[in-house]
């Protein structure tokens, strides 16, 4: 009885520290509960796993999730917690199996469905991802990310009408979300609604000036009909974004179109310095044929290969 009182007091203090994000204090208190209960208190075990994961100690977190399952092999949170760690490690098959175990125990485990759908998607199991996102939307039709992500899969598969409906719904849920605006730009351009696509890409840039793909897609619209405007857009992206290697590459192609080979060469070299794997594509790109003939490019490649 006295031990139970101690455990409950420690648990209360640990939960309070956890809620206040005092992780080290919470860790000490949950460890005390774990010891007092001889490793039989499920809440302290689950929370120890959560804290170790938050502290960047995934192996220790796995250890405690497994201990939780040794206490109760129907503990859905432990399966889900383990799954998220394997997911972060890129071990998608293990993650998928564990998400499904959590869902088997709790058929309405919303978070498990969401991350299961994403794991299916990134591991190339598109049909299973679609089914899982549909399940999510049956549980909550107003889930912004489920609508957006499912729309993206349909867009990849050229199921453009379905994608358009889902992107439109996502945009109604979050009208100012830059990714929803960006994706609407993609689908409108596919439907040859060029002005609408331009408006959506411009809207995406206004909402997030650091998203490089909005600049790229917008610039591509102008590539041949107003190349200089496309260059201005790519330049703005290079100035505002951190991920810019492909913006340099594309701007070099734009410069090549208007016969500014020196500037094109400068951009190609900048792109290669940031992303050396581009060299394979540069050596095959027809638009860059004259650039490859320049002395500056040849000198850089010789240094690169030496």
């Amino acid at each position: 009885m006295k031990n139970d009182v101690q455990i409950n007091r420690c648990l209360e203090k640990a939960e309070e520290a956890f809620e206040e994000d005092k992780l080290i204090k919470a860790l000490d208190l949950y460890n005390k509960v774990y010891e007092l209960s001889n490793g039989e208190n499920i809440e302290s075990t689950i929370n120890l796993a959560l804290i170790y994961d938050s502290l960047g100690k995934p192996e220790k977190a796995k250890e405690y999730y497994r201990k939780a399952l040794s206490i109760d092999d129907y503990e859905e949170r432990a399966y889900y917690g383990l799954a998220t760690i394997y997911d972060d490690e890129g071990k998608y098959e293990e993650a998928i199996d564990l998400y499904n175990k959590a869902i088997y125990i709790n058929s309405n485990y919303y978070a498990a469905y969401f991350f299961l759908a994403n794991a299916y998607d990134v591991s190339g199991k598109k049909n299973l991802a679609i089914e899982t996102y549909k399940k999510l939307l049956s549980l909550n039709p107003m889930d912004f990310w489920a609508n957006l992500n499912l729309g993206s899969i349909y867009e990849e598969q050229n199921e453009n009408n379905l994608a358009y409906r889902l992107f439109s719904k996502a945009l109604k849920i979050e009208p100012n979300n830059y990714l929803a605006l960006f994706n609407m730009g993609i689908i409108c351009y596919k439907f040859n609604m060029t002005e609408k696509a331009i408006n959506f890409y411009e809207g995406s840039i206004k909402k997030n000036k650091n998203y490089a793909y909005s600049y790229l897609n917008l610039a591509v619209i102008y590539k041949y009909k107003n190349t200089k405007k496309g260059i201005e857009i790519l330049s703005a992206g290079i100035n505002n974004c951190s991920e810019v290697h492909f913006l340099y590459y594309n701007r070099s192609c734009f410069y090549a179109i208007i016969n500014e080979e020196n500037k094109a060469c400068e951009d190609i070299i900048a792109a290669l310095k940031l992303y050396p794997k581009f060299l394979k594509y540069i050596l095959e790109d027809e638009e860059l044929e004259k650039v490859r003939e320049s002395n500056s490019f040849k000198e850089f490649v010789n240094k690169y290969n030496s």
Side-chain angles (χ1 to χ4, degrees):
M1 187 70 169
K2 184 179 178 182
N3 206 39
D4 288 344
V5 172
Q6 279 184 289
I7 289 171
N8 289 332
R9 282 178 181 169
C10 274
L11 264 178
E12 287 176 12
K13 290 178 181 178
E15 286 164 7
E16 185 180 325
F18 198 15
E19 286 172 9
E20 293 174 356
D21 207 28
K22 297 175 181 176
L23 296 184
I24 301 302
K25 182 178 179 180
L27 186 69
D28 289 340
L29 288 163
Y30 280 126
N31 266 315
K32 188 172 182 180
V33 174
Y34 185 82
E35 290 167 8
L36 288 169
S37 66
N38 296 315
E40 295 297 320
N41 184 277
I42 194 77
E43 292 305 316
S44 66
T45 311
I46 289 286
N47 284 315
L48 280 167
L50 283 168
I51 293 170
Y52 280 123
D53 194 17
S54 298
L55 292 172
K57 297 181 178 180
E59 294 307 315
K60 199 72 175 172
K62 286 179 192 175
E63 178 188 332
Y64 278 91
Y65 280 131
R66 292 188 185 107
K67 285 178 178 180
L69 289 171
S70 71
I71 300 168
D72 180 1
D73 62 1
Y74 265 65
E75 178 48 71
E76 64 205 55
R77 294 174 296 173
Y79 288 116
Y80 172 76
L82 278 169
T84 61
I85 296 172
Y86 283 116
D87 203 337
D88 289 341
E89 293 173 344
K91 297 176 181 176
Y92 297 116
E93 292 304 318
E94 292 93 331
I96 286 166
D97 179 58
L98 290 159
Y99 285 132
N100 275 313
K101 284 179 178 177
I103 289 166
Y104 177 78
I105 297 165
N106 179 358
S107 61
N108 292 319
Y109 202 148
Y110 198 82
Y113 279 114
F114 185 88
F115 289 105
L116 173 64
N118 183 68
Y120 280 139
D121 186 10
V122 297
S123 60
K125 298 178 179 180
K126 301 294 181 178
N127 290 336
L128 289 170
I130 288 169
E131 287 176 22
T132 310
Y133 277 124
K134 284 181 177 178
K135 173 63 178 179
L136 265 174
L137 290 171
S138 74
L139 295 171
N140 179 12
M142 299 303 287
D143 186 309
F144 170 79
W145 288 107
N147 280 288
L148 192 71
N149 293 350
L150 180 54
S152 294
I153 296 173
Y154 281 133
E155 186 273 320
E156 286 174 19
Q157 298 181 338
N158 282 317
E159 296 281 355
N160 295 317
N161 288 317
L162 290 171
Y164 182 81
R165 285 179 211 154
L166 287 156
F167 291 153
S168 297
K169 190 169 181 181
L171 201 56
K172 285 179 183 176
I173 298 166
E174 291 193 24
N176 295 317
N177 184 281
Y178 75 96
L179 283 174
L181 292 162
F182 172 78
N183 279 287
M184 281 298 287
I186 292 173
I187 211 70
C188 285
Y189 192 59
K190 279 191 168 187
F191 286 142
N192 294 315
M193 296 188 290
T194 306
E195 289 306 314
K196 283 190 174 181
I198 289 169
N199 290 336
F200 280 119
Y201 287 136
E202 288 177 346
S204 178
I205 290 168
K206 284 179 183 175
K207 296 303 175 186
N208 183 356
K209 68 178 184 178
N210 306 124
Y211 188 61
Y213 292 98
S214 295
Y215 295 96
L216 175 62
N217 285 21
L218 179 58
V220 166
I221 294 174
Y222 293 102
K223 185 170 184 177
Y224 298 107
K225 65 180 182 179
N226 190 344
T227 309
K228 287 185 178 180
K229 185 172 178 64
I231 289 170
E232 288 175 10
I233 294 163
L234 291 169
S235 298
I238 288 167
N239 290 333
N240 287 314
C241 303
S242 56
E243 188 181 11
V244 296
H245 56 283
F246 56 89
L247 297 181
Y248 275 117
Y249 184 110
N250 280 273
R251 194 173 69 173
S252 72
C253 295
F254 280 51
Y255 277 130
I257 290 168
I258 59 174
N259 298 312
E260 293 196 26
E261 282 84 13
N262 288 335
K263 289 183 178 179
C265 187
E266 288 174 8
D267 275 359
I268 278 299
I269 291 170
L272 280 170
K273 285 178 178 177
L274 292 169
Y275 191 75
K277 290 181 181 179
F278 271 152
L279 183 59
K280 175 187 174 184
Y281 303 101
I282 292 165
L283 294 175
E284 296 171 356
D285 195 324
E286 290 181 8
E287 288 181 332
L288 298 173
E289 185 176 354
K290 289 183 180 179
V291 178
R292 290 195 296 271
E293 293 172 1
S294 71
N295 290 329
S296 297
F297 178 74
K298 288 177 181 177
E299 285 173 16
F300 179 83
V301 171
N302 287 334
K303 287 180 182 177
Y304 175 82
N305 288 327
S306 61

